[in-house]
Amino acid sequence: MNGASREALAAARERLDALTDNTSVDAAKLAEELASVTSLLDREVSLRRVLTDPAQSGESKAELATRLLSGQVGGETVDLVSGLVRSRWSQSRDLVDSVEELANTADLTAAQRGGNLDDVEDELFRFGRIVGSDQELRSALTSRTATASAKGELLRSLLGGKAQPVTERIIVRLVTHPRGRSLEAGLDSLSKLAAERRNRMVAVVTSAVPLSDRQKQRLGAALAKLYGREMHLNLDVDPSVLGGVSVRVGDEIINGTVAERLDDATRRMAG
């Protein structure tokens, strides 16, 4: 997002945080309603263009959104969407992306309240690894010929009772309504959003053998000091790295594996 859209989303995030700070607000219900608004705006192209038209006043757009949504969703959702359409947007699609992000954030807030946010983060990461290693499953979940309901049923059979309800909900939404994204990109975005709920960064750590609790604590502390933010570790074991650890934070890779050092030595000898 650029310019006006980025500012509009930042303001919407603040309004959502202020709203969900009130524990009487049902964050899971709010997420469900915002997800339904996302589907509406994604489906109705002309509507989202009207709601982001810079030639229309913010108040008139908010009144239209209120008329459309009142009685369909709760007052909190109506207020959030009305606030969104009052803002200026660089592109009409940015509005849909933002409502979708708010829906996922509300669901993650529900997990945080229940003390399950760490589990959700880990489950998102593990699901991504499973999909990445199972081409048949990935094909089934991304098939253009399979219906959304069929994909949803497949996911519920895989995740039902084995993952947190929030994890299941947001993955089902992503797979059944990908909105042009790859499955991997969508899962990565969800993982980052979950980490941001605690103002943390995500580090993907690959080691030849599982790290001990002490090693995990020391690595987490070192990375937090390096980046100046609390760090959530997504742990993966890959015997091919031979030894040491490889750490990826965003686009940055800190590689201390034996395999990497051997490769580096081979490249220097060849040169």
Side-chain angles (χ1 to χ4, degrees), residues 92 134 207:
S92 62
D134 190 332
S207 57

Side-chain angles (χ1 to χ4, degrees), residues 183-202:
L183 181 54
E184 292 79 6
L187 289 169
D188 185 58
S189 177
L190 287 171
S191 293
K192 290 177 180 177
L193 196 60
E196 287 171 3
R197 288 309 303 157
R198 296 182 190 271
N199 193 33
R200 295 184 298 183
M201 298 180 73
V202 175

Side-chain angles (χ1 to χ4, degrees), residues 125 203-207 211 219 223 232-237 244-248:
F125 175 70
V204 178
V205 181
T206 304
S207 57
L211 300 182
L219 179 59
L223 290 170
H232 176 74
L233 305 183
N234 280 336
L235 305 173
D236 191 25
V237 176
V245 295
S246 172
V247 180
R248 178 169 59 83

Side-chain angles (χ1 to χ4, degrees), residues 27-228:
K29 180 183 178 183
L30 185 62
E32 181 182 0
E33 293 179 348
L34 286 167
S36 69
V37 174
T38 302
S39 297
L40 171 67
L41 294 176
D42 191 49
R43 185 173 63 250
E44 301 294 340
V45 178
S46 58
L47 173 61
R48 72 172 183 257
R49 286 177 177 167
V50 170
L51 292 176
T52 56
D53 184 357
Q56 303 295 320
S57 71
E59 197 56 41
S60 67
K61 290 183 287 188
E63 289 175 358
L64 173 59
T66 299
R67 288 199 305 272
L68 288 172
L69 299 177
S70 293
Q72 307 299 315
V73 295
E76 293 91 353
T77 302
V78 173
D79 290 344
L80 281 171
V81 176
S82 296
L84 281 163
V85 301
R86 282 190 181 94
S87 301
R88 295 183 65 85
W89 297 90
S90 304
Q91 300 181 69
S92 62
R93 181 182 174 85
D94 291 344
L95 172 62
V96 195
D97 291 343
S98 297
V99 178
E100 182 181 49
E101 180 183 311
L102 295 185
N104 289 327
T105 300
D107 248 336
L108 293 169
T109 299
Q112 189 173 32
R113 285 182 183 175
N116 302 315
L117 186 54
D118 282 347
D119 289 338
V120 172
E121 288 178 290
D122 290 337
E123 288 163 359
L124 287 169
F125 175 70
R126 289 201 301 272
F127 183 77
R129 300 297 292 182
I130 291 169
V131 169
S133 63
D134 190 332
Q135 187 58 43
E136 185 177 353
L137 174 60
R138 186 187 185 282
S139 296
L141 295 176
T142 58
S143 170
R144 294 187 177 183
T145 58
T147 64
S149 60
K151 293 176 183 178
E153 285 302 313
L154 174 59
L155 286 169
R156 292 183 186 96
S157 69
L158 292 171
L159 300 174
K162 302 171 188 174
Q164 293 293 328
V166 167
T167 306
E168 181 179 338
R169 286 197 299 271
I170 60 180
I171 289 178
V172 168
R173 283 203 298 265
L174 170 65
V175 171
T176 56
H177 297 91
R179 302 187 51 244
R181 295 160 302 193
S182 71
L183 181 54
E184 292 79 6
L187 289 169
D188 185 58
S189 177
L190 287 171
S191 293
K192 290 177 180 177
L193 196 60
E196 287 171 3
R197 288 309 303 157
R198 296 182 190 271
N199 193 33
R200 295 184 298 183
M201 298 180 73
V202 175
V204 178
V205 181
T206 304
S207 57
V209 297
L211 300 182
S212 68
D213 289 341
R214 180 174 175 78
Q215 288 173 320
K216 288 184 284 187
Q217 290 171 0
R218 291 177 62 187
L219 179 59
L223 290 170
K225 183 176 180 180
L226 177 63
Y227 286 93

